[in-house]
């Protein structure tokens, strides 16, 4: 349902010339598309096995995790203001995780 509304909304905005369509090579788009699909699937499994609090925290934890993987895999870095926002985010995730006792091994794997 989410993907359907996103597709329709994107097509409407394209028709209204809010942005322009750019042709891209499928090999450049495919990894992003697969990652997006896997993200939705794994997050739904996460929500099935964990509390809503742990689910929300794990969504937030994906941001620094993804940036760390990109750094080690391709040397990609982020601007200092972006990096600084990760400090309170990471601390908040750490603190909140300690107080949510509904986390379990099945839900984190």
């Amino acid at each position: 349902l989410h993907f359907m509304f996103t597709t329709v909304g994107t097509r409407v905005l394209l028709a209204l010339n809010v942005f322009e369509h750019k042709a891209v090579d499928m090999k450049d788009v495919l990894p992003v598309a697969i990652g997006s699909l896997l993200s939705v699937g794994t997050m739904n499994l996460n929500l099935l096995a964990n509390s809503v609090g742990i689910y929300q925290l794990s969504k937030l934890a994906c941001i620094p995790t993804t940036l760390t993987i990109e750094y080690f895999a391709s040397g990609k870095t982020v601007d200092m203001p972006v990096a600084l926002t990760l400090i309170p985010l990471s601390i908040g995730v750490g603190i909140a995780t300690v107080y949510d006792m509904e986390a379990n091994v099945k839900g984190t794997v």
Side-chain angles (χ1 to χ4, degrees):
L1 194 57
H2 167 77
F3 290 122
M4 182 180 74
F5 279 102
T6 301
T7 301
V8 170
T10 303
R11 297 294 177 173
V12 168
L13 293 173
L14 181 62
L16 295 172
N17 293 320
V18 173
F19 60 88
E20 64 183 54
H21 181 268
K22 294 181 181 179
V24 295
D25 201 4
M26 183 61 79
K27 69 178 173 61
D28 294 331
V29 175
L30 196 57
V32 174
I34 291 170
S36 295
L37 291 172
L38 287 173
S39 172
V40 170
T42 55
M43 286 311 228
N44 285 338
L45 290 173
N46 179 345
L47 185 56
L48 181 67
N50 288 312
S51 67
V52 174
I54 291 295
Y55 166 74
Q56 294 292 351
L57 291 171
S58 61
K59 285 184 5 179
L60 288 173
C62 284
I63 299 166
T65 303
T66 301
L67 293 175
T68 301
I69 291 169
E70 285 183 340
Y71 175 75
F72 286 110
S74 63
K76 184 177 176 183
T77 60
V78 295
D79 295 334
M80 186 56 72
V82 173
L84 291 174
T85 63
L86 297 176
I87 295 169
L89 181 124
S90 299
I91 291 169
V93 167
I95 291 170
T97 303
V98 170
Y99 292 104
D100 191 335
M101 297 302 177
E102 295 184 47
N104 59 59
V105 175
K106 178 184 174 188
T108 56
V109 176

